[in-house]
Amino acid sequence: MTVTDELLANNAAYATHFRGPLPLPPSKHVAVLACMDARLDVYRVLGLNEGEAHVIRNAGGVVTEDEIRSLAISQRLLGTTEIILIHHTDCGMLTFTDDAFKADILADTGVKPAWAAEAFDDIEADVRQSLRRIESSRFITATTSLRGFVFDVATGRLSEVTA
Amino acid sequence: MTVTDELLANNAAYATHFRGPLPLPPSKHVAVLACMDARLDVYRVLGLNEGEAHVIRNAGGVVTEDEIRSLAISQRLLGTTEIILIHHTDCGMLTFTDDAFKADILADTGVKPAWAAEAFDDIEADVRQSLRRIESSRFITATTSLRGFVFDVATGRLSEVTA
């Protein structure tokens, strides 16, 4: 039995208490962009209920073309206007460099990825960089609030990153 | 007061009960890739606890270059081996076409995105397409289990998509 099988059994239990469907557009008009880190349960960290906010996540919580795609769809088709960025302490992205990571992949597979790994060595600086990438996108035009935070994996608390 | 301020107040309450830190690598060695849809609370749907699984999310739960980046980091640096893909019923990605979406952006901003919007008209077919994109990546090499599901927003239940 795989972990996937175990999680499917959890889902069967979840479905017995589930009440749906809710409407498609997020009722709080918020999109959250956060790191994929396992310790960051975005709904619990922000007290979100089902149906309230889009949740976009990737390694680092960084902003690449695909996050611009998701945010553009979120704003233009589903009416979100506030954006919350979340990086966190003890992030895996602090533990390597793009060059070393891609050299390892090249050594293992014979192919060097054409994409950036987006490693960083300063959490707050990378939150600011992510804010700047969103601000500078021509495709993200409905934003009424854009703020970035660092989640502390020791305390559970969000700290705002100021410009 | 913005919704963001309201969610920050929720976070202060969350932090009063928080116990951390947990280790960085996901303890269940699982990475979940799901749609950003607000109704899909991945931790609850799968009965996940904090620290157990990476959670990657975007518009549609599709596989683009950035999801390959996140999965490569998840597997190569943080030891995950199982991948769970989740699309869902009543998805926003079923409501438009790439051509129309990009034509609208062009009309509004004067610039047509160089990226694909990744809209789809068949949920199960797009889950299969996402499975194929992961299988065909040279950079995702540690996978021991790769399965795709559709989450029913009416019932809360996951249904597996078979090949």
Side-chain angles (χ1 to χ4, degrees):
Chain A
M1 179 155 138
T2 62
V3 175
T4 300
D5 290 318
E6 175 193 322
L7 300 180
L8 290 173
N10 292 346
N11 174 250
Y14 173 79
T16 63
H17 303 289
F18 188 83
R19 302 286 294 272
L22 291 166
L24 169 56
S27 60
K28 289 199 181 291
H29 309 291
V30 172
V32 181
L33 169 52
C35 184
M36 70 180 179
D37 190 274
R39 300 163 294 181
L40 184 44
D41 179 350
V42 171
Y43 285 68
R44 247 42 55 188
V45 166
L46 294 173
L48 285 167
N49 296 307
E50 286 145 336
E52 293 185 337
H54 281 146
V55 181
I56 302 161
R57 303 184 62 172
N58 64 58
V62 302
V63 177
T64 74
E65 192 171 83
D66 197 53
E67 286 68 46
I68 296 298
R69 178 186 71 85
S70 292
L71 288 169
I73 290 168
S74 178
Q75 291 197 342
R76 296 181 62 88
L77 300 181
L78 293 162
T80 65
T81 56
E82 296 188 33
I83 300 174
I84 297 173
L85 301 187
I86 305 178
H87 285 33
H88 63 93
T89 59
D90 190 36
C91 187
M93 304 299 282
L94 297 162
T95 66
F96 66 98
T97 65
D98 274 38
D99 284 349
F101 183 69
K102 292 167 74 164
D104 283 348
I105 293 179
L106 173 61
D108 282 354
T109 69
V111 179
K112 191 170 93 163
W115 34 264
E118 292 282 332
F120 48 79
D121 58 11
D122 182 320
I123 302 170
E124 296 207 351
D126 202 75
V127 171
R128 287 189 195 96
Q129 175 59 213
S130 298
L131 293 167
R132 294 302 91 77
R133 288 184 184 179
I134 291 173
E135 289 168 350
S136 66
S137 171
R138 293 182 77 122
F139 307 129
I140 309 300
T141 54
T143 313
T144 58
S145 170
L146 169 63
R147 294 164 66 182
F149 301 88
V150 175
F151 174 76
D152 187 324
V153 299
T155 68
R157 188 171 287 276
L158 293 169
S159 300
E160 186 154 13
V161 177
T162 54
Chain B
M1 181 157 137
T2 61
V3 175
T4 300
D5 290 318
E6 174 193 325
L7 300 180
L8 289 174
N10 292 346
N11 174 250
Y14 173 78
T16 63
H17 303 288
F18 188 83
R19 301 288 292 273
L22 291 166
L24 169 56
S27 61
K28 289 199 181 291
H29 309 290
V30 172
V32 181
L33 169 52
C35 183
M36 68 180 181
D37 190 274
R39 300 163 293 182
L40 184 44
D41 179 350
V42 171
Y43 284 68
R44 249 42 55 187
V45 165
L46 294 173
L48 285 167
N49 297 307
E50 285 145 338
E52 294 186 336
H54 281 145
V55 181
I56 302 161
R57 304 184 63 172
N58 64 57
V62 302
V63 177
T64 74
E65 192 170 84
D66 196 53
E67 287 68 46
I68 296 297
R69 178 186 71 86
S70 292
L71 288 168
I73 290 169
S74 178
Q75 290 196 343
R76 296 181 62 89
L77 300 181
L78 294 162
T80 66
T81 55
E82 296 188 33
I83 299 174
I84 296 173
L85 301 186
I86 305 178
H87 285 35
H88 62 93
T89 58
D90 190 36
C91 187
M93 304 298 283
L94 297 161
T95 66
F96 66 98
T97 65
D98 274 38
D99 284 350
F101 183 69
K102 292 167 74 165
D104 282 348
I105 292 179
L106 173 61
D108 282 354
T109 69
V111 179
K112 191 170 91 164
W115 33 265
E118 292 282 332
F120 46 80
D121 58 11
D122 182 321
I123 302 169
E124 297 207 348
D126 201 75
V127 171
R128 288 189 194 95
Q129 175 59 212
S130 298
L131 293 167
R132 293 303 91 76
R133 288 185 184 179
I134 291 173
E135 287 167 352
S136 66
S137 171
R138 294 181 77 120
F139 307 129
I140 309 300
T141 54
T143 313
T144 58
S145 170
L146 170 63
R147 294 164 67 181
F149 302 88
V150 175
F151 174 76
D152 186 324
V153 299
T155 68
R157 188 172 286 276
L158 293 168
S159 301
E160 185 153 14
V161 177
T162 54

